[in-house]
Amino acid sequence: MYAFEFHQPKTLQEAAALLAQTDGKLLAGGHSLVPVMKLRLAQPGTIVDLAKIGGLAGVEVKGDKVTIGAMTRHRDVAGDKALLAAMPALASVPDSIGDPHVRNRGTIGGSIANNDPNADYPAACLGLGATIITNKRKIAADDFFTGMFETALEPDEIIREVEFPVVKASGYEKFKHPASGFALVGVFVAKHPDGVRVGVTGAGANGVFRVPAFEEALGRNFSPDALKGLSIPQDGLNSDIHASAEYRAHLVGVMARRATAKAVANAG
């Protein structure tokens, strides 16, 4: 690796000040930042570790809302009993990430802030209509994810927690890359009081996205059968050594039907 300054602030204010004064990068779980630093794809002069800041971890289920602190580890979200009872689909998202080592260190805030096009949490955020709460403001998920590895976060803005509405019917299904566990395609389906939302990860060349045609069909009939014969265009989808755009388009439909089936089962 190479030389850099390492800071462990005790408050969000201190962390934000360091980001504003330097070209610093935040360190949460480290599973996104450290590998790219080792490869020298990123060479920040300052690392700001959030581990010493209190109050950034934990899962709270209260009424019709789930609040998850940004530094909450994947394993702790997946194993939270209150969340498993209220919304098992959301708990299943981190339970499918990577391997035990990744789940023991990775955080929800780090995953969302990095916005990897194959990450799982962004699909859940879009599907559930989450609100990302930072040290400065509240950002709706629809406005937060702006492109591949890009978000609406300002240079000195830090995610504090994520709020999800509790819905009665939701499901997540993904087709995993066999080595990394990343989603070649992952689909989160959620039935809200005012309609249905479908979030897709892994497929889009520009990152996570919604599928209005699927949402409209499921809004009329919340059943896997409602999606039969529907597909999404290949334009704008990833095509690489793992899967062509055509195959990913097909997988979106398959995963959406499976996620819907899970949502119906969870609601029952």
Side-chain angles (χ1 to χ4, degrees), residues 8-215:
Q8 286 189 312
K10 299 297 196 315
T11 67
L12 276 177
Q13 291 82 357
E14 291 177 37
L18 284 166
L19 291 178
Q21 297 163 8
T22 69
D23 66 340
K25 293 289 186 181
L26 292 175
L27 178 67
H31 282 283
S32 299
L33 179 60
V34 173
V36 296
M37 287 178 65
K38 289 174 69 175
L39 294 171
R40 303 214 171 191
L41 297 174
Q43 299 185 39
T46 303
I47 300 298
V48 181
D49 184 8
L50 300 176
K52 298 296 184 180
I53 299 176
L56 291 183
V59 180
E60 181 184 57
V61 180
K62 190 173 182 180
D64 60 354
K65 183 172 64 178
V66 173
T67 304
I68 304 177
M71 288 292 285
T72 311
R73 309 293 179 183
H74 301 323
R75 67 171 183 185
D76 295 325
V77 178
D80 189 86
K81 292 182 179 179
L83 180 59
L84 283 165
M87 225 166 21
L90 180 55
S92 75
V93 172
D95 199 34
S96 71
I97 294 174
D99 54 33
H101 179 67
V102 173
R103 293 192 290 273
N104 279 315
R105 293 296 303 167
T107 66
I108 182 173
S111 175
I112 293 171
N114 188 53
N115 192 20
D116 188 294
N118 299 100
D120 297 271
Y121 269 123
C125 287
L126 273 191
L128 286 168
T131 300
I132 292 83
I133 301 173
T134 76
N135 58 320
K136 291 185 173 185
R137 55 181 169 151
K138 296 182 178 182
I139 311 171
D142 285 327
D143 300 321
F144 183 82
F145 303 104
T146 59
M148 185 181 294
F149 294 107
E150 294 181 356
T151 70
L153 289 172
E154 297 173 356
D156 60 344
E157 196 166 13
I158 303 170
I159 298 174
R160 195 177 77 218
E161 59 193 17
V162 186
E163 287 184 354
F164 299 89
V166 174
V167 298
K168 293 184 178 179
S170 58
Y172 182 62
E173 187 74 22
K174 78 174 182 179
F175 190 90
K176 287 185 178 184
H177 183 284
S180 68
F182 270 119
L184 283 179
V185 168
V187 180
F188 197 102
V189 173
K191 184 179 182 182
H192 296 257
D194 58 350
V196 177
R197 295 174 65 100
V198 178
V200 178
T201 189
N206 203 36
V208 66
F209 62 93
R210 290 171 62 186
V211 188
F214 287 11
E215 293 175 347

